[in-house]
Amino acid sequence: RSTLFPYTTLFRSGSCGLRITAIANQKGGVGKTSTCVNLSAGLGKAGKRILLVDMDPQGNSTSGLGVERGSLPTNIYHALVDGLAIEKCIVETKWEGVSLLPATIDLAGAEIELVSAMSRETRLRRVLTAAKDFDFAIIDCPPSLGLLTLNSLVAADSLIIPIQCEYYALEGLSQLMNTIDLVKSHLNAELTIDGLLLTMFDARTRLSKEVAAEVRNRFGTLVFETAIPRNVRISESPSHGMPIIYYDSPSPGAEAYIKFSMEALARWQNNEV
């Protein structure tokens, strides 16, 4: 049995309404999509109703949940650009408690098509107002600071920033922070940062330890206590279309994502008190 189960009852009675969290970092390869998929699966296992919103045209969260992109008649593009009802775009997944608002390469066109659209920055926020059957929405943002990421930040209540424990870990973070400040000033004053998540941590290397220490020294308690290890099973699981907690539940990667899911839930619960 997963170590998630002792926590299940503790978090079943959350607040009313949908809480929306974006996972963002303009730097690619930091574990952003793995975090979206596995946080969603962890929250679902804890008894929550989760909508994973794939805002990346690469659609990696979509395939990471085992959904075949080529077989989808509709996706998030149709909700954002064409105004199609969200319930016609949502896909049920095999994983407990997890539904998906999928993405395909169609979404790449939305970045251009929305440039001249009215209220272009608030399209996703309006789409998600119809998602009434969920406790949490987790948004997978593209690795850029374009219009799709902007829509995600405007729609979100809060933000989680994955940071890899490698050279240049903090590269571009100041630009992301500036974007967050602009969004808060002009479009979404309520946006908060839940925390920074250390990913690809390798306790055997001095580099990982030094980067982790630098990030914790700079950002203090804003950094999640849980660090996601560099684990080959995490890298393998997307090719099987499975979250790591289902693909290999005893693995260190699965245990870390379960622990992180519980830590994120605890932070959200404390913020609601």
Side-chain angles (χ1 to χ4, degrees):
R1 286 174 68 85
S2 163
T3 51
L4 256 170
F5 285 99
Y7 299 92
T8 300
T9 348
L10 179 60
F11 293 109
R12 277 194 191 277
S13 55
S15 65
C16 296
L18 178 70
R19 182 185 181 94
I20 303 172
T21 297
I23 314 292
N25 190 326
Q26 72 193 76
K27 194 171 184 297
V30 298
K32 178 178 56 61
T33 295
S34 291
T35 297
C36 287
V37 167
N38 292 300
L39 174 60
S40 296
L43 295 172
K45 269 285 193 183
K48 294 297 183 182
R49 300 165 301 170
I50 309 304
L51 178 63
L52 196 163
V53 181
D54 195 347
M55 282 289 280
D56 189 340
Q58 297 177 82
N60 290 335
S61 278
T62 298
S63 57
L65 286 175
V67 175
E68 178 53 55
R69 287 170 294 193
S71 66
L72 296 169
T74 58
N75 58 72
I76 193 170
Y77 168 88
H78 300 97
L80 285 173
V81 177
D82 298 336
L84 189 65
I86 189 174
E87 60 268 19
K88 294 183 178 179
C89 303
I90 291 175
V91 175
E92 299 301 319
T93 76
K94 298 182 275 191
W95 319 116
E96 184 179 345
V98 181
S99 298
L100 171 70
L101 191 49
T104 69
I105 196 62
D106 292 347
L107 190 57
E111 193 92 47
I112 299 166
E113 292 178 61
L114 290 177
V115 166
S116 58
M118 291 286 291
S119 305
R120 59 187 183 180
E121 302 92 351
T122 59
R123 289 294 182 100
L124 182 60
R125 177 193 285 175
R126 295 202 301 277
V127 166
L128 292 181
T129 56
K132 301 186 185 301
D133 297 328
F134 301 96
D135 300 308
F136 296 95
I138 308 296
I139 306 174
D140 186 5
C141 301
S144 65
L145 293 179
L147 198 48
L148 295 176
T149 295
L150 184 59
N151 261 266
S152 302
L153 297 180
V154 172
D157 300 304
S158 60
L159 176 69
I160 291 172
I161 305 171
I163 295 182
Q164 74 208 90
C165 294
E166 297 180 356
Y167 279 121
Y168 308 120
L170 300 177
E171 185 182 68
L173 188 59
S174 60
Q175 189 179 351
L176 177 60
M177 292 297 190
N178 289 338
T179 301
I180 293 167
D181 287 340
L182 287 171
V183 169
K184 290 182 69 171
S185 298
H186 301 287
L187 295 163
N188 183 5
E190 304 303 314
L191 181 65
T192 61
I193 298 176
D194 288 320
L196 281 66
L197 175 67
L198 295 168
T199 62
M200 304 177 191
F201 177 75
D202 189 342
R204 300 167 300 179
T205 68
R206 178 183 296 178
L207 174 62
S208 271
K209 292 176 182 176
E210 287 176 351
V211 170
E214 179 186 359
V215 173
R216 292 191 188 280
N217 182 58
R218 184 177 300 191
F219 295 99
T221 57
L222 194 59
V223 184
F224 285 99
E225 289 182 19
T226 307
I228 306 301
R230 182 175 289 282
N231 177 235
V232 68
R233 305 301 270 173
I234 295 177
S235 302
E236 289 173 359
S237 60
S239 66
H240 296 270
M242 300 175 71
I244 183 64
I245 68 171
Y246 290 95
Y247 178 65
D248 188 357
S249 58
S251 68
E255 291 179 357
Y257 269 118
I258 287 169
K259 185 179 175 185
F260 167 61
S261 299
M262 296 303 98
E263 188 179 355
L265 270 172
R267 287 198 182 194
W268 292 330
Q269 188 180 58
N270 289 338
N271 289 339
E272 288 162 3
V273 172

